[in-house]
Amino acid sequence: MTRKFILSIYTLGTVASVLAAEQKGLGYNDTPLVPGTKWHIHDGDRPQPRIVKPGEHFSQKADPPSDAVVLFNGKDFSKWQGEGGKEVKWKLEDDFMETTKTGRIRTKDEFGDFQLHIEFATPSKVEGSGQGRGNNGVNIFGRYEIQVLDSYNNPTYPDGQAGAIYGQTPPLVNASKGPGEWQTYDIVFETPRWDDSGKQTKPGYVTVLHNGVILHNRRELLGGTTHRAIVPFKPHPPHGYLELYEHGNPVRFRNIWIRPLGEYDNPNVSFK
């Protein structure tokens, strides 16, 4: 057997192994374990959420309640700022905004425990796969991300698919609509809290409905979200900004509003 032939077999074998690994794994097995589970962060072998076809309509173009703050009504970026407080450079068209590879945007104001409504559409032209397809995120306080992704016939590691608490908890189900279709997230967020000594006194929780289907039911946060890791908790104020990512995919957003949760037996509602 010639050396050239041996190298050819080796090269083909390596390529085949890589493709097989991508098809089987879809993620990583060299990352830390997610606390309380047997799964690694971004573990491709973690069970894929079952697919649920959502109803045709749920909260698309839902009118904001009387106590809501409208963050985006399709007309301007008055409630938003670009990175470093600069002007937002995203596209503004019809009643939506669209990413333009000009960086993240965040709200000018900060919010405490809240109910958030946001609508998004991943690109109608399918390009890429896995995390490279319609990737964005709703980043709460700049710390806790609810993943935005085109997860319609697009396998990826489960804790990174649409609606996941990124790198921590996959959604209960995959309720994604097709590329280019408008979809909704309705998110209820309860911030973690600390006392003056820095001791955590309350966990953080998030509830997420995707196209009217529940993905997380008051799921406890395990720390901050990032790629391949879980960021240990550090005390922070009980309020913060909302951020929309920029990952190079032209994702659209519209009809964004937020309202304070309030407290039982306390009519003095605020975002504090």
Side-chain angles (χ1 to χ4, degrees), residues 89-142:
K89 297 295 185 180
W90 287 18
K91 181 191 296 185
L92 186 64
E93 186 173 320
D94 296 330
D95 64 345
F96 64 83
M97 62 167 103
E98 182 179 305
T99 60
T100 55
K101 298 183 181 180
T102 54
R104 307 177 185 188
I105 66 172
R106 65 174 58 172
T107 57
K108 294 178 179 178
D109 294 328
E110 296 187 348
F111 308 95
D113 296 354
F114 61 74
Q115 173 189 347
L116 172 71
H117 175 83
I118 185 168
E119 304 181 20
F120 68 92
T122 60
S124 56
K125 182 180 179 181
V126 174
E127 294 182 343
S129 61
Q131 294 294 299
R133 189 167 137 186
N135 194 332
N136 205 285
V138 179
N139 199 17
I140 300 169
F141 292 13

Side-chain angles (χ1 to χ4, degrees), residues 57-65 68 114-120 138 140 146-148 163 175 182-189 205-218 254-259 261:
H57 301 287
F58 178 66
S59 57
Q60 283 89 347
K61 294 191 174 182
D63 292 329
F114 61 74
Q115 173 189 347
L116 172 71
H117 175 83
I118 185 168
E119 304 181 20
F120 68 92
V138 179
I140 300 169
I146 305 301
Q147 174 78 317
V148 171
W182 282 104
Q183 310 190 55
T184 62
Y185 279 164
D186 290 282
I187 299 172
V188 177
F189 178 75
Y205 300 100
V206 65
T207 297
V208 179
L209 281 81
H210 182 197
N211 298 323
V213 181
I214 193 152
L215 304 188
H216 303 287
N217 182 20
R218 204 165 185 257
R254 73 178 185 188
N255 193 25
I256 308 172
W257 49 260
I258 191 170
R259 57 179 301 276
L261 282 189

